[in-house]
């Protein structure tokens, strides 16, 4: 009886670990990221992301000429960064690989590629 109860407990714990295992923060995106957004037609728009990360919460600001600039908030889960404008009008989803991240804007579907700036010494 105890063995059966222990087996059930083990299966339940393993299932819970599977549900939450993908929520582990593995990437750190704090810093200044410089890059550009590129439309499907090849139009380019330079931009800078200034990000701060605390746990899985990301806040910061996008600086870009035009309408898609301002404060942002989001989260990072594993290597996936998702953020949106504080006013909710635009956002993006990126895959982070070290000091490079790339993905798509949620409103425009333009492709963004950004590199973390080296800190000044």
């Amino acid at each position: 009886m105890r063995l059966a109860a222990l087996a059930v407990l083990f299966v339940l714990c393993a299932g819970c670990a599977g549900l939450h295992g993908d929520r582990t923060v593995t990437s750190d995106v704090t810093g200044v990221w410089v890059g550009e957004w590129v439309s499907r037609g090849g139009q380019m728009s330079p931009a800078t992301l200034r990000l701060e990360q605390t746990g899985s919460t990301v806040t910061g600001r996008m600086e870009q000429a035009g309408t898609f600039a301002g404060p942002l908030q989001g989260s990072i889960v594993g290597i996936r960064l998702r953020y949106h404008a504080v006013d909710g009008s635009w956002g993006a989803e990126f895959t982070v690989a070290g000091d490079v991240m790339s993905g798509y804007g949620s409103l425009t579907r333009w492709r963004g590629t950004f590199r973390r700036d080296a800190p000044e010494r």
Side-chain angles (χ1 to χ4, degrees):
M1 181 71 164
R2 286 186 186 183
L3 185 56
L6 197 55
V8 168
L9 182 60
F10 176 76
V11 169
L12 289 174
C13 289
C16 289
L19 288 174
H20 300 291
D22 64 341
R23 295 183 182 196
T24 303
V25 176
T26 57
S27 297
D28 179 8
V29 295
T30 298
V32 177
W33 297 77
V34 177
E36 62 189 8
W37 294 101
V38 180
S39 74
R40 291 180 189 192
Q43 181 181 355
M44 291 188 277
S45 180
T48 300
L49 295 168
R50 297 181 186 282
L51 304 177
E52 292 185 28
Q53 179 179 339
T54 303
S56 63
T57 301
V58 176
T59 58
R61 181 170 187 81
M62 183 163 78
E63 299 166 0
Q64 178 184 10
T67 59
F68 302 110
L72 61 88
Q73 60 190 22
S75 63
I76 186 156
V77 178
I79 60 171
R80 300 277 186 219
L81 168 65
R82 290 183 180 102
Y83 69 78
H84 60 276
V86 171
D87 71 6
S89 62
W90 47 264
E93 183 173 334
F94 287 102
T95 299
V96 180
D99 290 333
V100 176
M101 64 178 163
S102 61
Y104 291 91
S106 59
L107 184 63
T108 63
R109 300 304 299 156
W110 284 29
R111 180 162 183 75
T113 304
F114 290 80
R115 292 187 178 278
R116 188 177 348 227
D117 251 5
E120 293 182 14
R121 298 178 190 236

